[in-house]
Amino acid sequence: MLNASFRLDPAFTIAPVSRRTFGSFVEHMGRCVYTGIYEPSHPTADADGFRQDVLALTRELGVSVVRYPGGNFVSGYRWEDGIGPVADRPVRRDLAWHSLETNEVGIEEFMRWAGKAGVEVMYALNLGTRGVSEALDVQEYLNHPDRTRLAELRRANGADKPYGITMFCLGNELDGPWQTGHKTAHEYGRLAAETARALRAAEPWLELIAVGSSSSSMPTFASWESEVLELTYDQVDYISAHAYYEPFDGDIASFLASAVDMDHFVNSVVATADSVGAKLKSAKRLKISFDEWNVWYQKRFQATQETEWQVAPPVIEDVYNVADAVVVGSLLISLLRHSDRVTAACQAQLVNVIAPIRTEPGGPAWRQTIFHPFAITSRLAKGDVLRVEPASPLYATDRYGDVPVVDAVATHDPESGDVTVFVVNRSQDSAASLVVPLAGFDRGLQVAETWTLHDDDLEAVNTAAEPERVVPHALGDVTVSDGELRATLAPVSWSAIRLTAAG
């Protein structure tokens, strides 16, 4: 058995837990919207056509904010297509995913769905094929109270009060040659700065997100951030980051260490942003919106004649196994660890498309394996993120070199006194004995609840026929005595341990 340890002390905090860390993403892509969140003919559909089984799972997942309407889709989107009488809305080509968009769901419908789901909306603007004027128009439609033409149009369409969107993405992945309206860093930076200035003239308190690199493997990574931020630094609050992970050539060891790359990504963006801030002699500390992240088997995806120019074709409907869920849990650990700078994040996507929730048209909805670490972390991570430095054996990986077998983060809620430890064991063949001294906690702690996601079959998945094949279970052999937490972690497992004040 391997041995790992780290010390917890409430004095060593990183930052408060940001609820926006537990965001999701709804794009007009595949079946995320149509037969995902929206299916008027479904037995559970409400009066607005939304699947109530999906709404219930969204609430259980603990989603705080949802990025909408894209994604690559947004770079060719005309927001006006999704307002007013549905019968009058045009059918358009979506060049991003080579499908047809009916616009049956647009701003008005999605905002109603968001209200029912209890989530904040992060609205993505089209800076691929459009620009400043259209950004101002959609902001006016969404947020201006009355008397202007677009505010009165919104009211005529049934929304008397403004939607009050505060977070706007200034485009999507415009560093990528695949993006409709792909731009150089200078071209994008100028447009983003102009758009941000105009939006702030309308609402100075908006939170604006500049487009960062689509991945840390982009040839322009870091140089893109540097050039864009030199043009936008004073006008924006966030720079975005996107990352997807999958095993390559059966290399599970490297896949389980994917959070090492996420840590590197965040640290590199922070260093670049701070360098630009220093150059500009600014005291401002830019934040990161990690608004696309997940496990995505990109090698499996390709468009086919069966999906070309169809309405809501089934694309990128990855079926997630146990190893995928452990990786998702470890990526959440990384995001929490960087809570001083990463204060918003969106797992992509919510339903069907590389998603924790799956549905069948006219049929059931169920939780994929990756649903569980997200839902539990969202529910238990409260208060402050504590600084954790695990002492753990290392193991060799082809992609990341030697990495710790055990990785962890913890949170402490000063109000309730609860302490929660989130931990992964990346070893494929050895359990790990974890010892955590609880220095500095005045009140004695006891085990309140434990969860672990582990299965001897790393390929086990949940399906419509067997939706609870993989579920979290109580973690056995967990004790608190003599000021120490002790636990045994199974190989390839993600676990959460909540401690509460004794008595």
Side-chain angles (χ1 to χ4, degrees), residues 130-250:
R130 310 190 87 176
V132 179
S133 178
E134 294 84 357
L136 285 173
D137 283 350
V138 71
Q139 179 273 335
E140 180 182 329
Y141 187 89
L142 288 165
N143 284 1
H144 200 77
D146 53 27
R147 293 184 293 172
T148 68
R149 184 184 72 84
L150 291 173
E152 292 301 327
L153 180 58
R154 181 198 68 241
R155 295 178 71 189
N157 288 334
D160 186 59
K161 295 182 178 180
Y163 291 119
I165 304 296
T166 60
M167 298 188 80
F168 285 89
C169 302
L170 301 173
N172 175 77
E173 291 189 356
L174 287 156
D175 63 321
W178 59 85
Q179 198 74 201
T180 307
H182 163 61
K183 294 171 173 56
T184 66
H186 184 78
E187 290 169 337
Y188 169 71
R190 282 290 305 274
L191 177 58
E194 291 166 1
T195 305
R197 288 190 190 97
L199 290 170
R200 290 207 188 281
E203 288 186 292
W205 51 84
L206 294 178
E207 298 176 73
L208 303 179
I209 305 165
V211 169
S213 292
S214 302
S215 79
S216 60
S217 62
M218 293 292 290
T220 55
F221 175 57
S223 64
W224 170 276
E225 279 81 358
S226 181
E227 190 167 356
V228 166
L229 289 178
E230 286 197 18
L231 294 166
T232 63
Y233 198 90
D234 290 334
Q235 282 74 47
V236 301
D237 305 284
Y238 294 83
I239 185 82
S240 72
H242 293 177
Y244 295 99
Y245 299 97
E246 65 179 309
F248 292 95
D249 302 320

Side-chain angles (χ1 to χ4, degrees), residues 9 14 19 26 45 137 167 177 201 268 307 327 374 377 402 420 465 481:
D9 192 308
I14 295 174
R19 288 304 309 158
V26 168
D137 283 350
M167 298 188 80
S268 298
T307 62
V327 169
F374 189 108
T377 306
D402 291 342
T420 304
S481 62

Side-chain angles (χ1 to χ4, degrees), residues 13 42 44 47 81 167 256-257 317 352 362 365 367 442 465 493 499-500:
T13 62
H42 194 270
T44 71
D81 290 347
M167 298 188 80
L256 290 169
E317 297 195 358
N352 290 326
R367 306 166 189 83
D442 295 333
S493 65
L499 308 177
T500 193

Side-chain angles (χ1 to χ4, degrees), residues 40-54:
S41 62
H42 194 270
T44 71
D46 64 15
D48 290 317
F50 300 123
R51 289 185 57 149
Q52 294 185 78
D53 55 352
V54 173

Side-chain angles (χ1 to χ4, degrees), residues 448-471:
E449 62 179 299
T450 67
W451 299 100
T452 190
L453 197 73
H454 162 77
D455 197 285
D456 291 338
D457 181 5
L458 292 184
E459 298 294 324
V461 300
N462 293 339
T463 64
E466 199 174 2
E468 296 189 357
R469 166 63 183 84
V470 179
V471 295

Side-chain angles (χ1 to χ4, degrees), residues 210-481:
V211 169
S213 292
S214 302
S215 79
S216 60
S217 62
M218 293 292 290
T220 55
F221 175 57
S223 64
W224 170 276
E225 279 81 358
S226 181
E227 190 167 356
V228 166
L229 289 178
E230 286 197 18
L231 294 166
T232 63
Y233 198 90
D234 290 334
Q235 282 74 47
V236 301
D237 305 284
Y238 294 83
I239 185 82
S240 72
H242 293 177
Y244 295 99
Y245 299 97
E246 65 179 309
F248 292 95
D249 302 320
D251 183 5
I252 298 299
S254 294
F255 178 52
L256 290 169
S258 294
V260 171
D261 178 78
M262 180 177 272
D263 288 338
H264 168 73
F265 196 163
V266 172
N267 291 334
S268 298
V269 173
V270 166
T272 304
D274 287 351
S275 174
V276 173
K279 182 178 180 180
L280 298 176
K281 299 178 173 59
S282 174
K284 179 180 181 179
R285 295 178 82 229
L286 212 68
K287 295 174 284 189
I288 296 175
S289 175
F290 218 119
D291 46 44
E292 286 190 34
W293 69 271
N294 205 350
V295 172
W296 176 9
Y297 288 79
Q298 296 187 55
K299 284 189 174 181
R300 298 177 184 172
F301 171 68
Q302 59 181 15
T304 66
Q305 287 188 334
E306 288 72 28
T307 62
E308 290 266 315
W309 310 120
Q310 301 298 311
V311 175
V315 295
I316 316 186
E317 297 195 358
D318 283 356
V319 178
Y320 291 113
N321 61 32
V322 173
D324 300 328
V326 172
V327 169
V328 163
S330 72
L331 297 175
L332 286 162
I333 288 172
S334 176
L335 292 171
L336 284 170
R337 177 162 47 236
H338 295 287
S339 290
D340 56 332
R341 301 302 287 268
V342 180
T343 60
C346 301
Q347 187 186 42
Q349 295 181 19
L350 179 64
V351 192
N352 290 326
V353 178
I354 50 172
I357 301 171
R358 282 290 302 273
T359 71
E360 285 188 353
W366 66 96
R367 306 166 189 83
Q368 294 229 66
T369 62
I370 65 171
F371 182 102
H372 298 294
F374 189 108
I376 293 171
T377 306
S378 177
R379 179 172 63 85
L380 296 183
K382 296 178 181 178
D384 298 318
V385 181
L386 299 182
R387 193 171 303 280
V388 168
E389 300 291 343
S392 164
L394 303 178
Y395 76 103
T397 70
D398 290 340
R399 294 178 67 85
Y400 309 119
D402 291 342
V403 303
V405 171
V406 172
D407 194 19
V409 76
T411 61
H412 171 233
D413 184 359
E415 186 173 334
S416 68
D418 284 2
V419 175
T420 304
V421 173
F422 305 96
V423 58
V424 289
N425 178 7
R426 295 163 169 156
S427 173
Q428 296 181 64
D429 48 29
S430 297
S433 173
L434 178 66
V435 178
V436 182
L438 303 170
F441 292 97
D442 295 333
R443 292 181 288 178
L445 296 172
Q446 62 186 12
V447 178
E449 62 179 299
T450 67
W451 299 100
T452 190
L453 197 73
H454 162 77
D455 197 285
D456 291 338
D457 181 5
L458 292 184
E459 298 294 324
V461 300
N462 293 339
T463 64
E466 199 174 2
E468 296 189 357
R469 166 63 183 84
V470 179
V471 295
H473 297 283
L475 179 63
D477 194 20
V478 180
T479 61
V480 173
S481 62

Side-chain angles (χ1 to χ4, degrees), residues 26 32-33 35-39 49-51 54 110 113 350-351:
V26 168
C32 185
V33 174
T35 71
I37 67 171
Y38 179 80
E39 188 178 356
F50 300 123
R51 289 185 57 149
V54 173
F110 185 76
W113 178 87
L350 179 64
V351 192

